Amino acid sequence: MSKMNVTEIMDRNKEFLRELREESGQDPGQCFQCMKCTGGCPFQFTMDYPPSQIMRMLQDGLVDEVLKSFTVQTCATCATCTTRCPRNIDIAKLMDTLRVIAYHRGIVGKGKNMHVFHTTFMNSVKNHGRLYEVGLALGLNLGTGNLLQDTDLGLPMFLRGKLSILPHNIKGRDEIKKLYDYAKKIGE
Amino acid sequence: MKLAYYPGCGLNGSSKELDISFRAISGPLGIDVVEIPDWNCCGGSSAHSTSHFLSFALPARNVINAETTGCEEFTAPCPACYVRHFLAQRDLNENPEMKQHLENALGRKVDKSDMKIKNVIEVFMDKVDSSIVKKPLKGLKVVNYYGCALVKPPKTFGFFDDPENPQSLDKIMRTLGAEVIDWPYKTECCGASLCFTNQDATWKASRDILQMAKDAGAQAVVAACTMCQMNLDMRQSQINKKYKTNFNIPAIFFTQLIGLAMGISADKLGLDKLYVDPKPLLRSLNLL
Ligand code: SF4
Ligand code: SF4
């Protein structure tokens, strides 16, 4: 990290932090850095900042760094941190809220795979009303460029009758479309 | 008891054996399974990562459709789907603003919902007692794997079990006559939600869980969560390849084992749908 003026950053991001508190119902300011969340986090090894550090960064207003972090993208929402936090902060919920905000702002950061996954998934549900797994896998592999990911599982799945080659379309697709259109309209 | 049943995309495909065994044991246990008419995908982790409204509205449509069946109880056996529906019902009942949005979107009035939304363990917990056990699972050494989604965070989803050391599955498996081994990874996260986007992380988490199960002396892992089960079972071959291990530990749904103990034949419980074949083990213990 380069040199920074914390007071100035704080001022710039006050509004964002207020919104974050409102949307998540959680206040990172309550964190006293005991690191219990980090100690129990099963995915800390793959993150760029441990969860307790994300809390500290939020306290200091380092919003851009947090939104761009891999941590926010790869948190598995297992809520081990939430279960153990002595300050009763729902850290998993905070991570979730941050992920949604990042997605809406088009911040992909180090989470390109996640971005492609969520977009492909939501499109599949929009078109069929249900998830079309083969389409999802294809879209994902094309979108991320990992063309061979999980292709070893295709045949075993198929042999167990677990893959349907064609999508299933529900009857109420017009209702699903209404829900998507409305979401777009209200921007949520 | 009439139970509104949401299979979700998983039980319709990759977790078929849970669907098969769920239905097979329900009848004899006095549960009348009514599939929700024209259900849609609840949006899973993608909806709640991308759209506040859709993460509520998609499962809410299922809750509304389920209410038309006249059932008093509702279940979505996949824990991720369960959580989405539980929260959607809560918002439907307690968040007038969200309800209004939904009515605007659909262009019609919707009612509140008073079905009891149960997770998959809750559905069977009170139904399993010694009277249903015809063929005790004698000699079968298991660890019970709840995963994170069913029990964490505590109290949020109306489930009573302890978030760090839950007991409900243990109790069920003991009643069935299995030998339950205590272990520290009952609720450790397997990383299923990362299995498409950060596979290395998923493999490591799942490897650790399988290793712990093996070290604890378990012959099989009993699973309640679809995502955990799929990770440990379907991806076991990938894990073996990546870490040069030779795990051969079946990950069996608790509903399949309830069925076996009730004397239901194996072919009605979807045992052949598992990737790591549990039959040699079960045969060696005379359980098949
Ligand atoms: S467990 Fe809670 S108080 Fe402790 S560091 Fe983490 S967020 Fe802060
Ligand atoms: S919810 Fe996220 S940050 Fe918290 S313990 Fe799980 S993976 Fe780590």
Side-chain angles (χ1 to χ4, degrees), chain B residues 76-115:
Chain B
C78 163
C81 302
Y82 158 75
V83 168
R84 298 330 312 166
H85 289 92
F86 185 92
L87 294 177
Q89 187 197 42
R90 195 165 74 185
D91 273 346
L92 205 54
N93 291 339
E94 293 171 16
N95 188 338
E97 199 189 329
M98 286 305 263
K99 183 162 173 276
Q100 186 61 52
H101 276 312
L102 183 63
E103 292 180 338
N104 294 348
L106 292 174
R108 60 180 160 107
K109 279 248 162 277
V110 298
D111 286 329
K112 289 191 171 181
S113 160
D114 54 13
M115 292 173 306

Side-chain angles (χ1 to χ4, degrees), chain B residues 240-271:
Chain B
N240 279 336
K241 207 163 144 204
K242 168 139 178 119
Y243 293 101
K244 303 198 171 44
T245 46
N246 53 0
F247 294 120
N248 183 27
I249 308 175
I252 312 174
F253 280 112
F254 77 108
T255 45
Q256 295 179 297
L257 291 172
I258 294 178
L260 266 191
M262 286 166 73
I264 298 174
S265 77
D267 54 329
K268 297 211 173 77
L269 295 169
L271 285 177

Side-chain angles (χ1 to χ4, degrees), chain A residues 84 96 104 129 161 172 182 188, chain B residues 16 38 41 48 50-51 101 164:
Chain A
R84 296 179 184 170
D96 228 38
H104 279 281
Y182 191 81
E188 287 195 10
Chain B
K16 250 195 178 125
D38 203 42
C41 169
H48 88 109
T50 56
S51 164
H101 276 312
E164 306 273 11

Side-chain angles (χ1 to χ4, degrees), chain A residues 8-188:
Chain A
E8 185 206 313
I9 294 174
M10 238 356 226
D11 268 355
R12 188 156 21 101
N13 291 319
K14 239 191 207 133
E15 184 53 21
F16 174 88
L17 292 172
R18 196 191 54 76
E19 261 171 51
L20 181 65
R21 274 200 303 274
E22 209 160 83
E23 264 179 52
S24 65
Q26 309 302 316
D27 181 6
Q30 290 295 315
C31 165
F32 56 20
Q33 289 291 299
C34 72
M35 298 207 193
K36 220 171 162 183
C37 50
T38 295
C41 174
F43 295 103
Q44 197 237 307
F45 72 91
T46 186
M47 295 170 168
D48 42 5
Y49 308 104
S52 52
Q53 194 174 344
I54 293 283
M55 304 303 279
R56 186 77 185 105
M57 287 158 80
L58 288 171
Q59 291 175 348
D60 281 344
L62 301 178
V63 170
D64 294 342
E65 285 80 355
V66 166
L67 287 177
K68 272 191 241 147
S69 71
F70 190 55
T71 300
V72 164
Q73 296 294 338
T74 206
C75 157
T77 332
C78 72
T80 305
C81 50
T82 302
T83 306
R84 296 179 184 170
C85 174
R87 301 291 288 157
N88 284 324
I89 305 171
D90 189 343
I91 303 141
K93 173 90 200 206
L94 257 178
M95 295 284 187
D96 228 38
T97 313
L98 288 163
R99 189 160 45 231
V100 176
I101 296 174
Y103 186 87
H104 279 281
R105 294 189 173 188
I107 300 174
V108 179
K110 294 165 199 146
K112 178 178 166 214
N113 288 359
M114 289 73 173
H115 207 82
V116 175
F117 175 78
H118 294 318
T119 308
T120 319
F121 189 109
M122 291 309 282
N123 279 338
S124 175
V125 177
K126 182 178 174 182
N127 294 332
H128 309 296
R130 289 187 191 166
L131 181 64
Y132 172 41
E133 283 174 321
V134 173
L136 175 69
L138 278 177
L140 184 65
N141 288 9
L142 288 175
T144 57
N146 302 329
L147 291 181
L148 295 178
Q149 175 163 298
D150 284 344
T151 43
D152 54 326
L153 300 176
L155 185 63
M157 285 187 83
F158 181 73
L159 290 176
R160 285 166 181 77
K162 293 182 173 184
L163 267 192
S164 66
I165 299 302
L166 293 174
H168 177 99
N169 290 317
I170 68 164
K171 290 199 204 87
R173 288 200 304 290
D174 54 326
E175 284 198 333
I176 302 297
K177 187 172 178 308
K178 282 183 191 164
L179 299 179
Y180 271 75
D181 288 346
Y182 191 81
K184 203 166 173 191
K185 195 172 112 195
I186 62 171
E188 287 195 10

